[in-house]
Amino acid sequence: IRGCEVFGAADKGIKVTTGSHARIESSWVHDNLNGGIQAALGGHVEAFDNLVENNRGATAQNGIAVLGADDNGGEVSFSELDARGNVSRRNGANGLAVRVGASARVRDNYLAVNGSAGIRVFNDAGPAATAMVEGTSAACNGTD
């Protein structure tokens, strides 16, 4: 997905799941009800040089997110994110979230004026999430 505008979705602007791969590059992902870009349930996302903003209004208002999922058998769907050169701002929750067994490599991003954290790495329902972050600014976020 290159050079696109994605907006007005009732859920995520772009959601990649079930072993699928997507590269989102030089796109504007904005004003989606339940988040901007998300890799979940075994999805793999490369997000490079995007503007992700104003995603708010429902429960998962993250700009960019990656999460695994703990199923009933205790297995985790491995999801991963490679985020470089993105601006994630004015989202209702986190600028970038890494959750439940997911992994992320985050380089040279700007995460600002989000309702919660600039970047949040957490585990609330399964194995720990991991993230490698470098050259990234998180400024003026609600809980930074």
Side-chain angles (χ1 to χ4, degrees):
I1 301 168
R2 180 181 294 157
C4 294
E5 181 179 8
V6 179
F7 66 99
D11 192 30
K12 304 333 175 253
I14 301 169
K15 184 173 183 177
V16 181
T17 67
T18 58
S20 299
H21 294 257
R23 181 175 181 160
I24 300 104
E25 183 177 8
S26 302
S27 292
W28 183 23
V29 182
H30 65 98
D31 296 294
N32 298 291
L33 189 59
N34 207 20
I37 298 170
Q38 183 183 74
L41 307 170
H44 306 274
V45 166
E46 295 176 306
F48 301 149
D49 303 317
N50 299 292
L51 175 57
V52 182
E53 62 183 349
N54 299 322
N55 296 290
R56 58 180 72 231
T59 57
Q61 306 172 76
N62 301 302
I64 303 169
V66 57
L67 62 133
D70 191 13
D71 72 15
N72 293 334
E75 295 293 318
V76 172
S77 300
F78 177 74
S79 300
E80 64 183 348
L81 169 70
D82 186 0
R84 184 180 64 227
N86 299 291
V87 172
S88 183
R89 64 184 182 194
R90 296 190 307 263
N91 297 291
N94 304 296
L96 193 145
V98 186
R99 179 177 170 225
V100 188
S103 70
R105 183 168 39 184
V106 181
R107 295 168 293 165
D108 304 322
N109 292 275
Y110 179 70
L111 312 166
V113 198
N114 294 290
S116 190
I119 184 166
R120 182 174 181 206
V121 182
F122 63 113
N123 168 29
D124 59 348
T130 59
M132 185 282 301
V133 181
E134 67 179 324
T136 293
S137 296
C140 302
N141 295 290
T143 60
D144 281 348

